[in-house]
Amino acid sequence: MIHIAWLGKKSPFCGNVTYCNSTTEELKARGHKISFIHFDNPSSTNSSKPLFLANDPDVSLPYLIKSQVYTIPSLRAEKELRLSLERLKPDIVHASLTLSPLDFRLPELCNEINVPLIGTFHPAFDANNRNLTASTQQLTYQLYAPSLAKFDKIIVFSEPQKNVLVKLGVPKEKQIIIPNGVDENIWQPFRERNKKYDQVKNKLGNERIFLYMGRIANEKNIEALLRSWRQTKNNNCKLVIVGDGPMKPTLENSFSNLSKEKLIWWGSEVDLETRIAIMQIAEVFFLPSLVEGLSLSLLEAMSTGTACIATDAGADGEVLDDGAGIVISTDNVATQLKTIIPILVEHPSFTKYLAGKARDRILERYTITKNIESLEKVYIDLKNNLKN
């Protein structure tokens, strides 16, 4: 049994939250001890709230601002983190990096208390740096690289991501490629109707469902999908957008001429069973991102047996290569989708074929079991090295 102090996110809902929850739950199921440290204590000028909240068995650090993308900790957060680690005495600290100033202090802090430090580096990227969004993300990598080089190990999701960090000075021997994984027994193709499935089906209607699920932000490039959807004939097909984010009001206004029979803005959805039902009902899943890491939503869609179309940003192209889905370039996404969408609309047998290939790929490479086994090996090696 290994005691892991897990520094990550529990809210607001995003891919990092999903990663933290699924990974720590699986580790606990395997007998490891998890102390979850997260920002869940809004700070004020005269606040002196305890580290442990009444409804939270783990450590809650104070923060000033918290969003889906970044967190600004309070001035006393670093001190409280150190006190927590000194009291908990974990074997390892694993930081699911949250885009927070505190991330940069972790190597020194863990070195001072002699605890190995692992980081999972989530920020999206495009190895080819083909657009302004990719350039912005590249700055994030440049900012983080000096600090990441001081971690004992850094978990990345693909070889291209590893190569980006190597070029920025993060030693390749410190980087471990462990792709995200999903529980294929939870995210599985439709088996039988239940109350939740029926509720979602009644809300969506009888049309064939095409889906985007994720954060609604500029880098996700949902506008390209909406423009393509508006300009193609899609009788008896409906596009459903599940999620929230800064671009949602603008896009809703820009595409208000699309009827509810053709487009549904579902909104944010935190209920797991509802998200699973939406994925099971959907025939096609789109991910038109300009930059990505390794999308958990994409893996979840593949696992539920949904045909997937994604850009080659980040590691997503690698996930769908060799026929597990359709991979498009981040250049001229709307133009490519205008060609692809009619084919998907007119040939449901083709989407069914892609759905089967997607599920097979998950079982082959991207199960949560494979992910956790690789992670356990990193923990054990670090713990043994410390003893020696």
Side-chain angles (χ1 to χ4, degrees), residues 169-237:
V170 182
K172 61 181 180 181
E173 61 271 14
K174 285 196 173 187
Q175 299 185 59
I176 306 289
I177 298 174
I178 303 179
N180 284 334
V182 293
D183 190 331
E184 74 279 12
N185 297 313
I186 294 176
W187 296 94
Q188 60 178 309
F190 173 70
R191 296 286 186 261
E192 59 183 21
R193 301 182 73 94
N194 56 47
K195 184 178 180 181
K196 188 70 70 173
Y197 182 94
D198 288 341
Q199 288 174 348
V200 173
K201 184 66 176 174
N202 289 338
K203 184 172 180 178
L204 292 179
N206 294 320
E207 293 91 348
R208 295 164 63 198
I209 300 301
F210 290 58
L211 174 68
Y212 169 82
M213 184 182 290
R215 201 162 56 87
I216 304 178
N218 183 57
E219 66 270 16
K220 298 298 183 179
N221 200 24
I222 303 164
E223 182 179 2
L225 172 59
L226 291 167
R227 282 193 282 118
S228 306
W229 189 257
R230 183 169 59 186
Q231 295 180 31
T232 56
K233 294 180 180 179
N234 39 52
N235 294 332
N236 197 39
C237 297

Side-chain angles (χ1 to χ4, degrees), residues 40-87:
D40 195 26
N41 187 356
S43 184
S44 63
T45 55
N46 59 358
S47 174
S48 58
K49 292 182 180 179
L51 296 173
F52 295 85
L53 300 182
N55 61 349
D56 185 357
D58 297 313
V59 178
S60 298
L61 297 178
Y63 67 91
L64 300 175
I65 301 172
K66 183 170 65 169
S67 74
Q68 287 181 315
V69 179
Y70 61 87
T71 302
I72 305 298
S74 78
L75 294 176
R76 72 177 200 277
E78 181 179 340
K79 179 180 179 181
E80 295 195 3
L81 173 59
R82 181 187 181 116
L83 290 173
S84 298
L85 292 176
E86 289 176 342
R87 183 187 56 78

Side-chain angles (χ1 to χ4, degrees), residues 329-349:
S329 169
T330 58
D331 295 322
N332 302 314
V333 171
T335 301
Q336 295 171 82
L337 289 177
K338 287 175 193 174
T339 301
I340 293 168
I341 290 174
I343 297 173
L344 301 172
V345 169
E346 294 166 16
H347 300 282
S349 59

Side-chain angles (χ1 to χ4, degrees), residues 20 33 38 83 86 125 160 173 297 302 304 310 313 349 360-361:
C20 289
K33 180 179 179 181
H38 61 118
L83 290 173
E86 289 176 342
F125 72 101
E173 61 271 14
S297 290
M302 293 171 69
T304 52
S349 59
D360 290 344
R361 176 59 54 81

